[in-house]
Structures are given as structure tokens and as C-alpha cells.
Amino acid sequence: MYHSVTSKSQESKGLTIDVKILEKQLLYLKANGYRTLHFKDLQQFNSAKDFPEKAVIITFDDVYVNQLELAYPLFLKYNLKACFYIPFKYVNGVNTWDEGEEPIMSVEQLQSLNTDNIELGLHSFAHQRYDQLSIKEIQADFDLCKDFIINNNLEINNTLAYPYGKYPKTGEEQHAFFKCLKDNNIAYGLRIGNRVNKFPFKNHYEIQRLDIKGDDSMKVFQRKLKKGKSWF
């Protein structure tokens, strides 16, 4: 799981990664036989036996313009796949949900992405925490997403990355949330968890992602990739 990308090495920390570090990580994946996938690729696998021995799904939240300018060319250059998740309310704006000023891609920029390399998915409409919304509010958010997708002729996979990784974790609230996802034809829900997933997934709505930080060393990246949180 990635977020912002920079060309300034001194800014590579937390949710922002230096493009040179990102390129080294992608080259490591290629050199070590990893196959990059989109979520739509998973539908081709009937069982765990069909799944590649080494596979990763690379995700970027928030569709910042810096992802288009810095990360996207690397995926074209090395013929790799990634998934970009869109907070639709902020398209062609900035990340005001966290009082930031980072530009978000426009509809035209999203449409320009090569679908062989980049799969687009949902990151909610208004970038709100699902664990703080009622089911009625969540459904309203989905309705706005659908309207935006149709009105702007975007090709969007039915995978949802939860803003801040937050969603109802227990009880009736979780049951109602998962039912809402199913009713809206969401195939996969992505949380944060820093654990390596096994395929087939135990729960399609609790797929965990490895949080790659801008100040992670290559050794830390390699350990996260192989063992997730278990090595911490």
C-alpha cells in the first residue's frame, strides 16, 4: 500500500516515498520472480493451485497527480501492474480531507491511464471513515460514487479501499456493513493489517495490506513482503 510519491529524497518518510526508492522496490520484485496482479485477475483462478507462486497486488490510495507523474511511468517502463483508488469527491481538487494541498488527478488524467497497467477502484466518495457512518450514510456515499463513475465514463473495478483502513470491526455493525458492500456488488474490501494474505481469501472484505513507508529500508521492505507483521 502506497500513497504519495516524491522526487525529493528528504521528503521520503511516512506516507510519502521517494520515486528512486519505489523504483528499487519494483526492480526487486521483477528480479525475484514476483508477478503483479490486478484484482480482476483473481477471478481467473479457480483454486489456490492456480495462484502464482509469488504474487503481489500493488495499491496506491488517493490518486495524487504525483502518482501519475512519478509512479505511473515506472509501471509502464517495467510492464508492471498497480491499482489506484479514487476518492471521487476530490477528483481534480486537492486532499482537503486531511487539510492538505496535494493535487488529485482529473477525470481526463484518470481516463488516460493504460488499463493494462493500472486498475482503478473505489476509495469512497468523500473519504470518510466507514466506522463513523451509519449504513444509510454509507449507502448514500456509494450512490454518489456510482453517479460519478457513470457520468464521467470511468472504468472502475468493484474493489474498495477503506479510507484510513477503517470499517466496523465487530458485531451487528460489521454484519450490516458487509451486507451493504455485497448489495453494492463490491467484490473486495481492503483494510490495513500488515499481514501477508493467503489465497483464496478467508474474507473478501478484510483483505490486509502491507503499509510501505517512505523511510523503510530495502531490508524492511523485503521483510514486510515475505513475512508482514510477523517479523516486527
Side-chain angles (χ1 to χ4, degrees):
M1 178 180 65
Y2 296 91
H3 287 78
S4 190
V5 188
T6 183
S7 59
K8 300 176 181 178
S9 59
Q10 68 272 21
E11 296 179 355
S12 189
K13 56 185 177 181
L15 297 180
T16 300
I17 188 168
D18 183 349
V19 65
K20 295 185 290 295
I21 296 175
L22 175 62
E23 184 168 19
K24 289 179 181 177
Q25 293 173 354
L26 297 180
L27 286 171
Y28 176 86
L29 296 177
K30 285 190 70 76
N32 287 273
Y34 283 89
R35 178 178 167 186
T36 55
L37 301 174
H38 287 154
F39 276 95
K40 63 186 175 186
D41 296 330
L42 301 183
Q43 299 171 1
Q44 302 173 14
F45 306 132
N46 296 318
S47 69
K49 294 181 180 179
D50 299 326
F51 198 77
E53 182 178 350
K54 290 184 174 182
V56 293
I57 296 181
I58 300 171
T59 70
F60 286 80
D61 287 358
D62 304 327
V63 292
Y64 294 124
V65 170
N66 59 52
Q67 296 170 6
L68 172 69
E69 295 175 341
L70 298 173
Y72 177 55
L74 296 179
F75 288 92
L76 296 179
K77 178 179 179 180
Y78 298 116
N79 193 28
L80 296 172
K81 296 180 177 182
C83 304
F84 287 7
Y85 294 101
I86 309 167
F88 296 101
K89 178 180 179 180
Y90 299 93
V91 168
N92 203 33
V94 296
N95 58 330
T96 54
W97 64 81
D98 60 4
E99 300 181 358
E101 298 180 353
E102 193 65 52
I104 308 296
M105 291 186 217
S106 67
V107 169
E108 292 74 18
Q109 288 172 322
L110 292 168
Q111 291 172 333
S112 74
L113 298 169
N114 188 327
T115 56
D116 290 337
N117 301 94
I118 305 300
E119 176 182 84
L120 299 178
L122 298 91
H123 198 39
S124 83
F125 184 78
H127 205 283
Q128 295 172 284
R129 293 170 51 132
Y130 286 126
D131 61 345
Q132 296 181 352
L133 300 178
S134 68
I135 291 300
K136 184 177 180 180
E137 290 170 327
I138 293 170
Q139 183 57 58
D141 190 89
F142 275 127
D143 292 340
L144 290 169
C145 289
K146 293 173 186 177
D147 288 345
F148 190 98
I149 291 166
I150 293 170
N151 292 338
N152 291 283
N153 194 30
L154 288 172
E155 182 178 339
I156 305 293
N157 181 267
N158 57 342
T159 300
L160 168 67
Y162 306 143
Y164 309 103
K166 300 299 183 181
Y167 65 103
K169 296 289 182 66
T170 59
E172 288 300 318
E173 291 82 4
Q174 184 184 79
H175 177 78
F177 177 65
F178 288 166
K179 183 180 184 302
C180 184
L181 297 187
K182 185 176 181 180
D183 290 344
N184 285 277
N185 297 313
I186 299 299
Y188 302 102
L190 313 182
R191 55 169 291 184
I192 304 171
N194 286 309
R195 297 189 185 278
V196 177
N197 297 283
K198 293 183 179 181
F199 186 84
F201 303 121
K202 183 177 180 180
N203 185 329
H204 281 203
Y205 296 147
E206 292 189 301
I207 298 173
Q208 302 196 59
R209 294 193 286 171
L210 303 173
D211 190 4
I212 306 302
K213 301 290 190 179
D215 41 3
D216 285 347
S217 67
M218 182 56 70
K219 183 175 289 187
V220 168
F221 172 77
Q222 294 169 6
R223 287 177 176 173
K224 283 186 176 181
L225 184 66
K226 294 177 181 178
K227 296 186 177 182
K229 197 171 183 178
S230 63
W231 74 273
F232 283 66

